């Protein structure tokens, strides 16, 4: 995809997420890695009304080149890209069910969601919890950097999910699986539940 097509893809994904209530208000941000830097959604922008020409362009070091000022959460994206050379796109949401799970006590910080469905296992695999830190704080970017080495999908405590993918489609599909699985976990709370067995998990292609 050339840059124009990538910009259109960012706008289309954002609009779809907004239309389905997955990015309330001006929450959520998307970025794509280019050959010489990044294109990112601007700060304070609504996913429902992005202008492809006003998306922020950053150089390879994360410096703002042109377009609107990038999201304040850009350090999270940059930390993940640095740790994951295979990542070409990142999506971060404050989607309701994933945030709800991110607020629960007694989750496993090494893998927050259980293996309920095969597509979750294939697209996400494991979901480590990143300890809470104030948005925009350098401590949060450093905590993301640590966990990004071991997983392309992370859940920020009391905040929301962030997912890197080889493509924007892959990152968006994975973060939607997190939201759906979080919803299932809450629907099934208190009900006897069959998880995928170790043998069934072994048959599924692990997520990258
Ligand atoms: Zn956020």
């Amino acid at each position: 995809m050339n840059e124009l097509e990538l910009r259109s893809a960012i706008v289309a994904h954002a609009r779809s997420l907004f239309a389905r209530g997955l990015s309330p208000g001006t929450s959520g941000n998307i970025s794509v890695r280019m050959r010489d830097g990044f294109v990112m959604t601007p700060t304070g922008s609504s996913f429902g009304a992005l202008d492809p020409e006003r998306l922020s362009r950053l150089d390879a070091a994360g410096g703002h080149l042109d377009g609107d000022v990038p999201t304040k959460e850009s350090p999270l994206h940059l930390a993940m890209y640095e740790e994951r050379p295979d990542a070409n796109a990142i999506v971060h949401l404050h989607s309701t069910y994933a945030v709800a799970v991110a607020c629960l006590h007694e989750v496993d910080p090494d893998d927050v969601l259980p293996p309920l469905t095969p597509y979750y296992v294939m697209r996400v695999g494991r979901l480590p919890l990143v300890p809470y830190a104030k948005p925009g704080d350098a401590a949060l970017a450093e905590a993301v950097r640590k966990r990004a080495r071991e997983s392309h999908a992370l859940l920020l405590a009391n905040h929301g999910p962030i997912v890197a993918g080889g493509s924007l489609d892959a990152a968006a599909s994975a973060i939607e699986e997190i939201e759906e699985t979080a919803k299932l976990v809450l629907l099934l709370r208190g009900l006897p539940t069959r998880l995928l067995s170790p043998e069934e998990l072994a048959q599924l292609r692990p997520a990258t």
Side-chain angles (χ1 to χ4, degrees):
M1 272 201 245
N2 63 32
E3 183 169 340
L4 266 182
E5 290 167 331
L6 282 171
R7 283 172 181 261
S8 302
I10 289 173
V11 171
H13 272 287
R15 194 177 292 143
S16 165
L17 291 164
F18 183 82
R20 289 174 294 132
L22 292 164
S23 62
T26 56
S27 68
N29 28 76
I30 296 176
S31 65
V32 169
R33 195 197 310 251
M34 315 289 294
R35 214 172 16 162
D36 53 355
F38 307 93
V39 174
M40 206 172 277
T41 51
T43 184
S45 60
S46 163
F47 268 19
L50 289 178
D51 178 345
E53 293 181 6
R54 291 179 58 183
L55 295 176
S56 318
R57 205 157 60 88
L58 286 72
D59 63 26
H64 184 205
L65 288 174
D66 57 36
D68 287 352
V69 176
T71 167
K72 291 189 189 72
E73 299 192 297
S74 65
L76 307 184
H77 293 241
L78 297 170
M80 272 194 110
Y81 283 122
E82 281 174 25
E83 296 304 321
R84 303 195 66 85
D86 58 339
N88 293 311
I90 291 175
V91 181
H92 166 56
L93 297 175
H94 300 171
S95 48
T96 308
Y97 289 93
V99 176
V101 167
C103 297
L104 290 177
H105 273 304
E106 295 174 8
V107 294
D108 177 358
D110 287 323
D111 193 5
V112 179
L113 294 174
L116 286 172
T117 67
Y119 282 94
Y120 174 79
V121 173
M122 288 189 282
R123 290 183 175 149
V124 179
R126 200 159 72 81
L127 186 67
L129 186 72
V130 175
Y132 179 81
K134 195 176 111 185
D137 201 303
L140 184 57
E142 281 317 300
V144 163
R145 183 187 301 282
K146 269 190 206 150
R147 283 295 208 177
R149 289 172 197 158
E150 56 184 278
S151 176
H152 73 297
L154 303 173
L155 185 63
L156 313 183
N158 299 79
H159 184 157
I162 183 165
V163 176
S167 66
L168 181 52
D169 284 350
S173 299
I175 206 163
E176 293 200 36
E177 286 292 338
I178 292 173
E179 181 66 2
E180 292 307 308
T181 301
K183 194 185 290 186
L184 292 172
V185 162
L186 296 171
L187 278 171
L188 292 165
R189 262 200 139 196
L191 296 174
T193 302
R194 191 190 85 88
L195 301 180
L196 295 177
S197 69
E199 296 72 34
E200 288 162 342
L201 289 173
Q203 292 167 353
L204 298 169
R205 190 164 49 88
T208 55

